[in-house]
Amino acid sequence: MENLMNLADLFTPRARELVPPLWGPSAASEGTPTISLAYGLADPLVLPREELVETTAQILATDVDAVLNYAPVAAELVTLVAERLRREGVAAHEQQVIITYGSSQILGLLPQILVNPGDTILVEAPTFMGAVGLFVRAGAQLVGVPVDANGLDVDALETVLRDLRARGVRPKFIYTIPNFQNPTGTTLSLARRQRIVALAAEYGVIVVEDDAYSDLRFHGEPLPPMAALDQEGWVLRVGTFSKILAPGLRVGWAHGPKALIDRLRMVKVEGSSSPFISHLVARFSAEGRLDTHITSLRRHYAAKCATMITALHRELPELPFVPPDGGFFIWLRLPEGVSGRELEPVALQQGVEVLHGNRCYADGSGAEYVRLAFSYVPETQIAGAIQRLGNSIRAVMR
Ligand SMILES: Cc1ncc(COP(=O)(O)O)c(C=O)c1O
């Protein structure tokens, strides 16, 4: 009888396999407070708290039904997203934009319309661990395609596509992060963008272009998104306000082929994503305020990145990494024989939290790397954090 009353028996087999999400900086350890370099959180110093308070008062003083009742997302937000896309050269249409609870929601919904258990998705190796979790959860087979200093290796991509075709497998999509990739910080070259778009058309595969970081460019000129190069309608461009405004607002979007966007709307069962927050973001962003804010973010994060690079060159001069042109991350190669998995707890003891590289690979490889986020740590603590990391690496080597 007791067995029959066990609550866990009610879970579906899929629910039983779930693991808790990785989430946020660890609680401070006893003694020295931990400095976290593990997660791509926004710097609290640049979250525009006062402006959002003012903007909240403004929107609440307008149309209460539109803002606080059951209502669609603000049309102004859809227009804002479409206009920003047109500025990047994408032939964007408002009807082809969907607003969601963060771009993560898109990555969670996509498998619902594209993936049966056993279907293939191509991902960069390494890639954004949150996406890996969502795709694996849907039962997808992930095939990793390597990333080098210029982003996704397109020769390797072509080989994988050819081999899969020879086995009668048509992958559902290629998931790529073209700018300041999470976790490697690398940027996909223009020639590679063109080649990926051509391969997508040749093989009939969707490209999911997750460009969470493109606005946070510190150096160099922006490159056209693949959505702007695509003539055949294979690219779904995914973006977020998390990195340029505030992650806590949970506002993301996608633009792409109408048939795909329409299906995404149909599986987004809760309907519109917070009318209130969508009005808030639209009003905050109006009259060039978002652009001004992004300009100051770029300066802020560029300085922190430079500070981390200087500290790494001083503390660990022999360890290679590609200096990122933007974004939140540095991907550090560890000395021969030191694994990130082994390093992580030692570093935590020394008071610095890092993310070991295995977490960013679908197949658990990447032991020789750690990801360092410079976004969240106060700039004054970066040098100290890297010093602790250096001590930890030397301790593991002994
Ligand atoms: C590449 C990439 N895509 C998506 C996300 C998730 O963003 P959002 O807050 O919009 O869900 C992140 C966040 O770290 C990311 O790095």
Side-chain angles (χ1 to χ4, degrees):
M1 192 64 189
E2 206 174 293
N3 263 354
L4 291 175
M5 303 302 283
N6 188 353
L7 182 142
D9 288 342
L10 299 173
F11 294 149
T12 61
R14 255 178 79 189
R16 276 184 214 138
E17 281 168 22
L18 295 175
V19 289
L22 259 182
W23 202 162
S26 312
S29 55
E30 278 174 38
T32 329
T34 302
I35 307 175
S36 182
L37 308 178
Y39 300 98
L41 277 71
D43 189 334
L45 280 181
V46 290
L47 292 173
R49 187 193 342 222
E50 268 114 53
E51 292 92 327
L52 287 172
V53 169
E54 268 170 45
T55 312
T56 302
Q58 287 167 12
I59 59 163
L60 288 175
T62 59
D63 183 350
V64 75
D65 247 353
V67 175
L68 287 184
N69 221 327
Y70 288 113
V73 297
E76 295 86 343
L77 183 61
V78 175
T79 304
L80 175 87
V81 169
E83 278 171 358
R84 291 177 67 76
L85 284 163
R86 288 193 278 269
R87 253 171 35 186
E88 296 179 308
V90 180
H93 296 285
E94 272 78 348
Q95 307 90 305
Q96 287 168 237
V97 173
I98 181 169
I99 305 289
T100 52
Y101 288 111
S103 51
S104 303
Q105 191 181 26
I106 309 270
L107 305 178
L109 292 176
L110 264 181
Q112 291 188 37
I113 56 172
L114 294 172
V115 176
N116 277 311
D119 281 351
T120 300
I121 297 176
L122 307 189
V123 296
E124 292 168 333
T127 188
F128 169 43
M129 57 187 173
V132 166
L134 291 165
F135 302 159
V136 167
R137 193 172 285 191
Q141 295 281 350
L142 301 196
V143 176
V145 183
V147 170
D148 65 22
N150 293 310
L152 181 68
D153 176 341
V154 285
D155 290 331
L157 174 66
E158 183 162 15
T159 305
V160 168
L161 286 168
R162 202 183 311 118
D163 290 352
L164 287 171
R165 179 174 273 181
R167 289 196 276 127
V169 176
R170 180 182 178 191
K172 292 303 176 94
F173 57 85
I174 304 165
Y175 173 69
T176 167
I177 306 162
N179 290 298
F180 332 124
Q181 199 242 15
N182 178 2
T184 61
T186 56
T187 294
L188 191 65
S189 68
L190 176 58
R192 290 188 181 192
R193 291 172 193 231
Q194 288 161 332
R195 182 101 175 271
I196 291 172
V197 167
L199 286 170
E202 186 182 338
Y203 285 86
V205 178
I206 295 165
V207 177
V208 177
E209 175 176 52
D210 180 357
D211 218 351
Y213 300 96
S214 61
D215 286 308
L216 298 178
R217 178 177 272 282
F218 317 145
H219 314 291
E221 288 304 308
L223 294 170
M226 282 175 277
L229 304 171
D230 172 35
Q231 300 296 316
E232 315 260 338
W234 289 104
V235 177
L236 181 76
R237 183 156 173 75
V238 177
T240 179
F241 286 85
S242 290
K243 316 295 173 183
I244 54 173
L245 188 43
L249 295 169
R250 307 307 302 130
V251 181
W253 54 264
H255 177 274
K258 187 158 181 316
L260 193 52
I261 296 292
D262 286 347
R263 291 280 146 189
L264 285 171
R265 278 195 228 289
M266 291 177 214
V267 285
K268 191 177 170 336
V269 285
E270 80 284 2
S272 68
S273 297
S274 180
F276 176 64
I277 299 294
S278 68
H279 279 276
L280 180 64
V281 173
R283 178 65 75 96
F284 174 91
S285 306
E287 290 150 25
R289 184 150 60 162
L290 181 62
D291 290 330
T292 310
H293 183 62
I294 290 173
T295 305
S296 73
L297 291 183
R298 272 196 207 120
R299 246 182 268 124
H300 185 81
Y301 288 120
K304 294 177 82 170
C305 180
T307 302
M308 187 173 278
I309 289 175
T310 306
L312 284 167
H313 285 156
R314 190 177 45 233
E315 184 69 27
L316 294 160
E318 66 290 356
L319 298 193
F321 61 91
V322 178
D325 285 332
F328 279 4
F329 306 110
I330 289 177
W331 183 239
L332 187 69
R333 194 179 172 109
L334 297 169
E336 204 60 42
V338 175
S339 93
R341 200 184 278 277
E342 212 184 338
L343 177 66
E344 206 182 77
V346 176
L348 211 49
Q349 269 170 7
Q350 298 271 347
V352 62
E353 188 185 18
V354 296
L355 194 85
H356 68 69
N358 300 104
R359 294 197 200 265
C360 306
Y361 282 83
D363 65 0
S365 56
E368 64 279 33
Y369 291 96
V370 283
R371 189 189 74 176
L372 309 175
F374 49 81
S375 54
Y376 183 65
V377 54
E379 192 176 346
T380 51
Q381 294 183 11
I382 290 177
I386 299 300
Q387 204 169 30
R388 292 177 189 185
L389 178 66
N391 292 340
S392 318
I393 291 175
R394 288 184 284 273
V396 172
M397 286 170 79
R398 269 200 292 274

